[in-house]
Amino acid sequence: MFDRLHATCLSWAGAMALATGAALVAGGGGQARAADAAERAIIGFSPDGAYFAFEQYGIQDGSGFPYSDVFVLETATDSWVRGTPARELVRNEAVSVDQVRQTARKRIDPYLWRLNIGVNGKTLVSDRAADARDAARFLPFTLADDGDKLGLGTVRLRLTEIAMPKEDCTALGVSPHGYALVLENEAGEPLRILHEDTSIPASRGCPVHYGLSDIIVYPRSGEGPVLVVLLSIYQFGFEGLDRRFLALSTTFDTNPSTQ
Protein backbone atom coordinates (compact mmCIF):
# COMPACT_ATOMS: atom_id res chain seq x y z
CA MET A 1 0.00 0.00 0.00
CA PHE A 2 1.18 3.49 -0.74
CA ASP A 3 1.02 5.99 2.04
CA ARG A 4 -0.16 9.40 0.85
CA LEU A 5 -0.27 11.95 3.63
CA HIS A 6 0.29 15.65 3.35
CA ALA A 7 2.02 16.67 6.59
CA THR A 8 1.90 20.45 6.97
CA CYS A 9 5.36 21.80 7.71
CA LEU A 10 5.67 23.48 11.06
CA SER A 11 8.20 25.92 12.45
CA TRP A 12 9.17 25.87 16.10
CA ALA A 13 9.86 29.05 18.07
CA GLY A 14 13.20 28.14 19.52
CA ALA A 15 14.64 25.19 21.36
CA MET A 16 12.66 25.77 24.55
CA ALA A 17 9.29 25.48 22.78
CA LEU A 18 10.49 22.40 20.91
CA ALA A 19 11.61 20.64 24.06
CA THR A 20 8.36 21.51 25.83
CA GLY A 21 6.22 20.19 22.98
CA ALA A 22 8.18 16.95 22.82
CA ALA A 23 7.75 16.43 26.54
CA LEU A 24 4.00 16.85 26.23
CA VAL A 25 3.71 14.29 23.45
CA ALA A 26 6.04 11.81 25.08
CA GLY A 27 4.11 12.12 28.31
CA GLY A 28 0.97 10.48 26.86
CA GLY A 29 -2.21 10.28 28.94
CA GLY A 30 -3.97 13.62 29.07
CA GLN A 31 -1.70 15.06 26.36
CA ALA A 32 -3.42 13.04 23.62
CA ARG A 33 -5.66 15.93 22.54
CA ALA A 34 -5.34 17.21 18.99
CA ALA A 35 -4.01 20.78 19.02
CA ASP A 36 -4.66 21.23 15.30
CA ALA A 37 -7.44 18.79 14.47
CA ALA A 38 -7.98 18.89 10.72
CA GLU A 39 -11.53 18.35 9.48
CA ARG A 40 -12.35 16.24 6.43
CA ALA A 41 -14.91 16.44 3.65
CA ILE A 42 -15.64 13.56 1.30
CA ILE A 43 -16.05 14.76 -2.29
CA GLY A 44 -16.99 11.42 -3.86
CA PHE A 45 -16.21 8.78 -6.50
CA SER A 46 -16.17 8.56 -10.25
CA PRO A 47 -19.17 6.58 -11.59
CA ASP A 48 -17.06 3.45 -12.12
CA GLY A 49 -15.44 3.70 -8.67
CA ALA A 50 -11.98 4.07 -10.20
CA TYR A 51 -11.29 7.41 -8.47
CA PHE A 52 -12.06 8.92 -5.08
CA ALA A 53 -11.50 12.44 -3.72
CA PHE A 54 -11.54 14.03 -0.26
CA GLU A 55 -10.36 17.18 1.47
CA GLN A 56 -8.68 17.97 4.79
CA TYR A 57 -8.69 21.52 6.11
CA GLY A 58 -8.20 23.61 9.23
CA ILE A 59 -6.02 26.15 11.06
CA GLN A 60 -2.38 25.40 11.81
CA ASP A 61 -1.45 25.39 15.46
CA GLY A 62 1.29 27.85 16.33
CA SER A 63 1.00 29.97 13.17
CA GLY A 64 -2.80 30.29 12.97
CA PHE A 65 -2.62 29.99 9.16
CA PRO A 66 -5.55 28.36 7.29
CA TYR A 67 -4.95 25.39 4.99
CA SER A 68 -6.83 23.05 2.67
CA ASP A 69 -5.54 19.92 0.92
CA VAL A 70 -7.62 18.07 -1.68
CA PHE A 71 -6.57 14.52 -2.61
CA VAL A 72 -7.57 12.41 -5.62
CA LEU A 73 -6.99 8.68 -5.28
CA GLU A 74 -6.86 5.95 -7.93
CA THR A 75 -8.65 3.20 -6.02
CA ALA A 76 -7.27 0.13 -7.79
CA THR A 77 -3.64 1.08 -7.10
CA ASP A 78 -4.15 3.07 -3.88
CA SER A 79 -2.06 5.90 -5.33
CA TRP A 80 -2.64 9.60 -5.85
CA VAL A 81 -3.51 10.82 -9.33
CA ARG A 82 -0.56 12.55 -10.95
CA GLY A 83 -0.65 16.30 -10.33
CA THR A 84 -2.57 15.96 -7.08
CA PRO A 85 -3.12 16.73 -4.23
CA ALA A 86 -3.97 20.43 -4.43
CA ARG A 87 -2.54 22.09 -1.33
CA GLU A 88 -3.27 25.59 -0.16
CA LEU A 89 -1.71 27.34 2.84
CA VAL A 90 -2.23 31.09 3.29
CA ARG A 91 0.26 32.72 5.63
CA ASN A 92 -2.25 35.27 6.84
CA GLU A 93 -4.39 34.79 9.93
CA ALA A 94 -6.98 37.23 8.59
CA VAL A 95 -7.87 34.90 5.71
CA SER A 96 -10.69 32.47 6.52
CA VAL A 97 -10.62 28.71 6.11
CA ASP A 98 -13.58 28.98 3.74
CA GLN A 99 -11.59 31.26 1.43
CA VAL A 100 -8.66 28.84 1.38
CA ARG A 101 -11.00 25.90 0.72
CA GLN A 102 -12.52 27.71 -2.24
CA THR A 103 -9.06 28.34 -3.71
CA ALA A 104 -8.05 24.69 -3.28
CA ARG A 105 -11.29 23.55 -4.85
CA LYS A 106 -10.74 25.76 -7.90
CA ARG A 107 -7.31 24.21 -8.36
CA ILE A 108 -8.66 20.66 -8.14
CA ASP A 109 -11.86 21.22 -10.16
CA PRO A 110 -10.23 20.38 -13.54
CA TYR A 111 -9.24 16.95 -12.17
CA LEU A 112 -12.68 16.34 -10.70
CA TRP A 113 -14.29 17.34 -14.00
CA ARG A 114 -11.93 15.20 -16.13
CA LEU A 115 -12.41 12.12 -13.96
CA ASN A 116 -16.13 12.80 -13.42
CA ILE A 117 -15.79 12.66 -9.64
CA GLY A 118 -18.76 13.58 -7.49
CA VAL A 119 -20.84 10.42 -7.07
CA ASN A 120 -21.62 9.55 -3.46
CA GLY A 121 -20.49 6.30 -1.94
CA LYS A 122 -22.01 4.85 1.23
CA THR A 123 -20.37 5.88 4.50
CA LEU A 124 -20.87 2.86 6.74
CA VAL A 125 -19.09 4.19 9.82
CA SER A 126 -17.83 7.67 10.73
CA ASP A 127 -15.92 8.26 13.95
CA ARG A 128 -15.87 11.97 14.84
CA ALA A 129 -13.37 11.68 17.72
CA ALA A 130 -10.74 14.42 17.55
CA ASP A 131 -8.50 13.17 20.37
CA ALA A 132 -6.09 10.27 19.92
CA ARG A 133 -7.21 8.68 23.18
CA ASP A 134 -10.81 8.45 21.88
CA ALA A 135 -10.03 7.37 18.31
CA ALA A 136 -11.44 4.02 17.15
CA ARG A 137 -9.01 1.20 16.34
CA PHE A 138 -11.56 -1.58 15.79
CA LEU A 139 -14.74 -1.12 13.76
CA PRO A 140 -17.25 -3.78 12.62
CA PHE A 141 -19.54 -2.96 9.71
CA THR A 142 -21.97 -4.64 7.35
CA LEU A 143 -22.81 -4.17 3.70
CA ALA A 144 -25.64 -6.48 2.69
CA ASP A 145 -25.65 -8.27 -0.66
CA ASP A 146 -27.54 -6.27 -3.26
CA GLY A 147 -28.76 -9.27 -5.28
CA ASP A 148 -25.56 -10.12 -7.16
CA LYS A 149 -23.85 -11.71 -4.14
CA LEU A 150 -21.02 -9.19 -4.19
CA GLY A 151 -21.69 -7.39 -0.90
CA LEU A 152 -19.07 -7.35 1.82
CA GLY A 153 -21.36 -9.02 4.34
CA THR A 154 -20.39 -8.61 8.01
CA VAL A 155 -16.70 -7.77 8.38
CA ARG A 156 -14.53 -5.57 10.57
CA LEU A 157 -11.37 -3.49 10.43
CA ARG A 158 -8.61 -3.83 13.01
CA LEU A 159 -5.98 -1.09 13.34
CA THR A 160 -2.79 -1.90 15.23
CA GLU A 161 -0.11 0.63 16.14
CA ILE A 162 3.48 -0.55 15.73
CA ALA A 163 6.33 1.04 17.68
CA MET A 164 8.93 1.89 15.06
CA PRO A 165 12.18 3.86 15.21
CA LYS A 166 12.57 7.13 13.32
CA GLU A 167 15.74 8.98 14.09
CA ASP A 168 14.50 12.55 13.80
CA CYS A 169 11.52 11.77 16.07
CA THR A 170 13.62 10.05 18.73
CA ALA A 171 15.84 13.13 18.86
CA LEU A 172 12.74 15.12 19.88
CA GLY A 173 11.87 12.70 22.66
CA VAL A 174 8.89 11.35 20.67
CA SER A 175 8.10 7.63 20.41
CA PRO A 176 6.86 7.24 16.81
CA HIS A 177 4.53 4.50 15.55
CA GLY A 178 3.62 2.92 12.25
CA TYR A 179 0.47 0.88 11.79
CA ALA A 180 -1.12 -2.22 10.31
CA LEU A 181 -4.69 -2.41 9.04
CA VAL A 182 -6.42 -5.77 8.54
CA LEU A 183 -9.86 -6.64 7.18
CA GLU A 184 -11.35 -9.54 9.14
CA ASN A 185 -14.46 -11.66 8.78
CA GLU A 186 -17.11 -11.93 11.48
CA ALA A 187 -15.15 -14.68 13.23
CA GLY A 188 -12.04 -12.50 13.44
CA GLU A 189 -10.15 -14.34 10.70
CA PRO A 190 -8.04 -12.12 8.44
CA LEU A 191 -9.39 -11.65 4.91
CA ARG A 192 -6.91 -9.12 3.64
CA ILE A 193 -3.99 -7.11 4.98
CA LEU A 194 -4.74 -3.62 3.72
CA HIS A 195 -1.53 -2.09 5.00
CA GLU A 196 1.46 -2.95 7.19
CA ASP A 197 4.30 -0.50 7.77
CA THR A 198 7.91 -1.60 7.61
CA SER A 199 9.12 1.99 8.08
CA ILE A 200 7.58 5.41 8.64
CA PRO A 201 7.50 7.67 5.57
CA ALA A 202 9.01 11.11 5.94
CA SER A 203 5.66 12.60 4.88
CA ARG A 204 4.05 11.57 8.19
CA GLY A 205 6.41 13.62 10.33
CA CYS A 206 6.48 12.08 13.80
CA PRO A 207 3.29 9.99 14.11
CA VAL A 208 2.36 9.08 17.66
CA HIS A 209 -1.12 7.55 17.27
CA TYR A 210 -3.63 6.52 14.60
CA GLY A 211 -7.40 6.08 14.47
CA LEU A 212 -10.11 4.81 12.15
CA SER A 213 -12.24 7.73 10.98
CA ASP A 214 -14.43 6.72 8.02
CA ILE A 215 -15.32 3.51 6.20
CA ILE A 216 -16.75 4.23 2.76
CA VAL A 217 -18.00 1.65 0.28
CA TYR A 218 -18.81 2.17 -3.38
CA PRO A 219 -20.77 -0.73 -4.95
CA ARG A 220 -19.98 -1.51 -8.60
CA SER A 221 -22.39 -3.21 -10.96
CA GLY A 222 -21.28 -6.77 -11.78
CA GLU A 223 -18.13 -6.44 -9.65
CA GLY A 224 -17.15 -6.41 -6.01
CA PRO A 225 -17.17 -3.10 -4.13
CA VAL A 226 -14.51 -0.45 -3.68
CA LEU A 227 -13.53 0.08 -0.04
CA VAL A 228 -11.96 3.36 1.12
CA VAL A 229 -10.77 3.88 4.68
CA LEU A 230 -9.88 7.31 6.04
CA LEU A 231 -7.50 7.16 8.98
CA SER A 232 -6.57 9.87 11.43
CA ILE A 233 -2.89 10.31 12.10
CA TYR A 234 -1.86 12.17 15.24
CA GLN A 235 1.60 13.64 14.75
CA PHE A 236 3.96 15.72 16.84
CA GLY A 237 3.05 19.41 16.61
CA PHE A 238 3.83 22.79 18.09
CA GLU A 239 1.12 22.79 20.78
CA GLY A 240 0.36 19.06 21.09
CA LEU A 241 -0.69 16.38 18.63
CA ASP A 242 -1.87 17.52 15.20
CA ARG A 243 -4.47 15.40 13.41
CA ARG A 244 -4.20 14.81 9.69
CA PHE A 245 -5.84 12.21 7.43
CA LEU A 246 -4.65 9.53 5.08
CA ALA A 247 -6.71 7.31 2.78
CA LEU A 248 -6.42 3.66 1.90
CA SER A 249 -8.34 1.97 -0.90
CA THR A 250 -8.86 -1.58 -2.05
CA THR A 251 -11.12 -3.25 -4.59
CA PHE A 252 -12.79 -6.66 -4.68
CA ASP A 253 -13.61 -8.77 -7.74
CA THR A 254 -15.93 -10.95 -5.66
CA ASN A 255 -17.17 -11.17 -2.08
CA PRO A 256 -13.97 -11.09 0.07
CA SER A 257 -15.26 -13.95 2.23
CA THR A 258 -14.81 -16.25 -0.76
CA GLN A 259 -11.33 -15.05 -1.74
Side-chain angles (χ1 to χ4, degrees):
M1 282 288 174
F2 298 92
D3 182 272
R4 296 292 187 271
L5 170 69
H6 168 53
T8 305
C9 295
L10 300 174
S11 62
W12 285 270
M16 183 60 71
L18 182 62
T20 302
L24 290 177
V25 174
Q31 308 302 336
R33 70 179 182 85
D36 166 6
E39 297 292 343
R40 74 274 195 187
I42 297 168
I43 296 171
F45 292 85
S46 59
D48 59 0
Y51 300 97
F52 169 79
F54 80 98
E55 176 195 19
Q56 68 176 12
Y57 59 94
I59 301 288
Q60 280 189 345
D61 67 332
S63 72
F65 298 150
Y67 62 87
S68 171
D69 310 315
V70 185
F71 304 88
V72 181
L73 181 70
E74 184 178 0
T75 58
T77 60
D78 190 34
S79 59
W80 300 119
V81 170
R82 185 175 181 179
T84 70
R87 300 184 176 113
E88 289 293 329
L89 170 66
V90 176
R91 301 178 184 280
N92 184 344
E93 297 178 49
V95 175
S96 71
V97 174
D98 285 343
Q99 289 174 296
V100 175
R101 295 184 68 191
Q102 290 172 10
T103 302
R105 187 60 181 260
K106 287 179 181 178
R107 286 187 56 196
I108 207 69
D109 271 345
Y111 294 89
L112 302 182
W113 180 84
R114 177 171 60 87
L115 301 173
N116 201 15
I117 294 173
V119 182
N120 291 332
K122 184 176 182 180
T123 300
L124 301 178
V125 182
S126 185
D127 180 24
R128 307 309 297 185
D131 292 354
R133 61 192 169 198
D134 299 324
R137 294 176 179 87
F138 174 82
L139 287 177
F141 61 97
T142 301
L143 179 63
D145 291 332
D146 56 9
D148 55 11
K149 303 300 181 184
L150 295 178
L152 285 174
T154 300
V155 290
R156 56 198 194 184
L157 286 174
R158 185 181 300 276
L159 174 67
T160 304
E161 295 178 345
I162 306 169
M164 196 167 286
K166 195 166 185 274
E167 186 174 349
D168 54 340
C169 301
T170 304
L172 296 173
V174 178
S175 298
H177 288 77
Y179 75 95
L181 184 63
V182 178
L183 181 70
E184 303 176 339
N185 64 18
E186 197 171 7
E189 300 166 335
L191 296 172
R192 183 177 291 188
I193 297 174
L194 301 184
H195 182 88
E196 185 172 8
D197 278 329
T198 56
S199 62
I200 300 175
S203 59
R204 289 191 213 164
C206 294
V208 180
H209 293 296
Y210 300 84
L212 294 167
S213 293
D214 299 285
I215 301 173
I216 308 153
V217 172
Y218 187 80
R220 299 180 294 172
S221 178
E223 300 179 89
V226 176
L227 178 70
V228 173
V229 183
L230 291 186
L231 294 94
S232 297
I233 174 171
Y234 298 88
Q235 57 190 190
F236 176 83
F238 181 67
E239 296 175 342
L241 296 183
D242 291 344
R243 180 180 69 179
R244 295 294 184 269
F245 294 96
L246 60 87
L248 293 172
S249 66
T250 190
T251 60
F252 298 98
D253 295 328
T254 60
N255 191 315
S257 64
T258 65
Q259 293 184 359

